[in-house]
Amino acid sequence: MARRRDGITRRDFLKLSVTIAAAAAAAPVARMAAPADSGGEGRVYYEFWYLEDPETIAYYEALGLVLEHNGRKCLANPLLPDRCLAYTVPAERDRWPIKPPGASKDFFSRCIRCGLCYFACSLAGYHAIRLAGLGDGGLRMLGTPVVDDMRNHPCTLCMECTRVCPTGALEEVLEEARERAAVRAEQAGGNVTEAREQDIELLVLDREILEKTRMGIALIDPDLCLAWNSGDCKSCASACPFGAVVFKFTFNPWGVHTEVKPEYCVGCGKCVHACPVGGAAIHVLPEDEYWRRVKNYKNTGMSYWDYLKLILRVEDEDPATATIRSQVNVEYVQKIRGVEEEKIVTELKGAGGGQA
Ligand code: SF4
Ligand code: SF4
Ligand code: SF4
């Protein structure tokens, strides 16, 4: 739902932030970051913005946004000033051994490491599958198919891999979805032939099939995403085969605020490929990693959804802080990650078109 803010424009806020910068010049600097920011358990999937340039340090010190962390100066999160602002690492460094669509529950005992899925994917020109090596997960995973470079080679859900798999390690979920749709059509007196010819949209319309198809779940970092920082970007939603079924938008003067509804995402990674932010602001994670990550998002001590709510609340109630947050994030993205402007799409296309 659109959110509204009366009486003051964004231009006013930008002016206000400069005033705040001057007023904050006397603010105490070199505060210590909260110890919890020293990194999460296991794999640390985010990084801080360590400031090196004296001019940048002076500017953010004037705003009271510089913390000491491990002997270095990091930028503080304007929403949580005792914590370093954390950004999800680029997708190339956030890879997971995700299985192709339709992986059966007993995938590892069924997969005979024949590589047929790999060849089918390569012959189709998608190159989404590679075969796992020893370093991916030992003998258990060796030779099994992995889809882990979604930034460059997402899964197109062509389903060729499921058709060629000789053991059912990858199940023919689309065919099963079509059969189920045909049965439903017959029971309802509908068109059975048409039901059998439906395309991949069927995969998310049938809950049981969706669960069987799922490779992972996509997660957007609101501190990197253009749509959460004053931008108008719907590149991920537009690239998603299921568009507005999967995505949710909250509009206000600070942006489109794009979210993935986890219950509908199959984890194909087309959104990761489409994101214009360097290293992608949206990553696909295996389900267990996704749920672990959203529980204590970027070690903020709050869930992913509470963090999103905090951003929206600050945008409503504290526009000066919201403006600074947005400025900081845009500067980080532009300076450190870069933006592929030609990839920015502002209209929903394809399956998602017109349903925002
Ligand atoms: S469904 Fe995905 S992983 Fe399987 S062959 Fe097609 S592109 Fe490759
Ligand atoms: S949100 Fe991304 S990963 Fe999920 S179904 Fe859409 S394109 Fe695929
Ligand atoms: S494509 Fe990237 S920047 Fe654009 S809305 Fe999606 S996650 Fe955000």
Side-chain angles (χ1 to χ4, degrees):
M1 215 175 110
R3 301 167 70 87
R4 202 162 58 81
R5 181 174 46 81
D6 298 318
I8 190 162
T9 64
R10 277 204 71 238
R11 189 185 293 268
D12 291 332
F13 292 137
L14 290 173
K15 279 190 205 155
L16 183 59
S17 73
V18 174
T19 314
I20 291 167
V29 295
R31 292 174 295 119
M32 299 298 286
D37 268 331
S38 57
E41 67 279 22
R43 202 158 140 176
V44 179
Y45 60 89
Y46 52 82
E47 60 194 8
F48 302 143
W49 186 9
Y50 288 112
L51 305 173
E52 311 285 350
D53 169 45
E55 242 177 66
T56 311
I57 293 172
Y59 177 78
Y60 285 116
E61 274 181 346
L63 287 168
L65 285 177
V66 176
L67 295 172
E68 289 285 342
H69 183 260
N70 289 344
R72 300 172 75 186
K73 289 183 189 299
C74 74
L75 192 74
N77 187 332
L79 305 183
L80 305 164
D82 68 335
R83 290 171 187 273
C84 298
L85 186 47
Y87 296 99
T88 305
V89 298
E92 291 77 5
R93 286 162 46 204
D94 195 21
R95 291 190 187 194
W96 295 85
I98 287 170
K99 294 193 268 306
S104 62
K105 281 201 169 68
D106 49 355
F107 173 82
F108 287 109
S109 54
R110 282 204 197 188
C111 176
I112 55 171
R113 282 72 170 165
C114 63
L116 286 175
C117 53
Y118 163 79
F119 289 115
C121 191
S122 300
L123 279 173
Y126 301 126
H127 306 284
I129 294 180
R130 72 174 175 85
L131 297 177
L134 268 177
D136 287 300
L139 282 173
R140 183 167 183 259
M141 278 193 64
L142 184 64
T144 61
V146 169
V147 180
D148 70 346
D149 183 15
M150 291 174 171
R151 185 62 171 155
N152 297 304
H153 301 289
C155 167
T156 62
L157 297 176
C158 73
M159 299 314 213
E160 279 307 314
C161 52
T162 67
R163 289 183 194 111
V164 299
C165 180
T167 64
L170 299 177
E171 295 179 16
E172 287 195 73
V173 279
L174 184 54
E175 289 316 312
E176 189 183 341
R178 285 174 173 153
E179 280 311 311
R180 286 162 65 95
V183 169
R184 285 197 301 273
E186 194 168 24
Q187 285 166 352
N191 189 325
V192 173
T193 313
E194 258 179 32
R196 277 214 178 87
E197 284 169 358
Q198 288 181 84
D199 211 343
I200 56 171
E201 67 273 4
L202 264 180
L203 298 174
V204 291
L205 298 179
D206 183 325
R207 171 67 51 191
E208 201 175 307
I209 295 294
L210 197 159
E211 297 300 335
K212 281 185 166 186
T213 306
R214 179 171 285 137
M215 307 163 67
I217 306 177
L219 184 65
I220 293 176
D221 183 337
D223 294 317
L224 286 171
C225 171
L226 305 179
W228 280 86
N229 291 286
S230 308
D232 182 9
C233 178
K234 299 195 190 86
S235 303
C236 50
S238 185
C240 177
F242 314 110
V245 175
V246 175
F247 282 83
K248 175 185 164 195
F249 306 97
T250 306
F251 299 93
N252 77 8
W254 277 274
V256 181
H257 305 84
T258 315
E259 278 174 70
V260 174
K261 292 183 255 178
E263 66 273 27
Y264 289 111
C265 172
V266 301
C268 65
K270 290 191 83 173
C271 51
V272 181
H273 182 66
C275 180
V277 172
I282 182 166
H283 295 185
V284 172
L285 309 168
E287 282 188 76
D288 53 354
E289 172 61 16
Y290 175 90
W291 293 110
R292 188 190 74 79
R293 209 172 272 200
V294 296
K295 214 166 144 191
N296 175 16
Y297 187 57
K298 293 195 289 193
N299 222 359
T300 53
M302 58 177 74
S303 75
Y304 179 70
W305 294 283
D306 282 345
Y307 190 63
L308 299 187
K309 277 187 210 153
L310 174 67
I311 296 170
L312 291 169
R313 196 173 71 239
V314 168
E315 288 176 350
D316 248 4
E317 296 172 1
D318 183 359
T321 302
T323 302
I324 290 168
R325 171 189 174 270
S326 179
Q327 280 179 330
V328 163
N329 288 336
V330 168
E331 191 182 351
Y332 176 83
V333 167
Q334 285 175 345
K335 274 190 177 168
I336 311 292
R337 297 290 173 91
V339 177
E340 294 176 65
E341 300 281 345
E342 68 283 1
K343 282 172 110 176
I344 297 178
V345 175
T346 56
E347 298 296 327
L348 274 184
K349 292 189 296 193
Q355 295 178 61

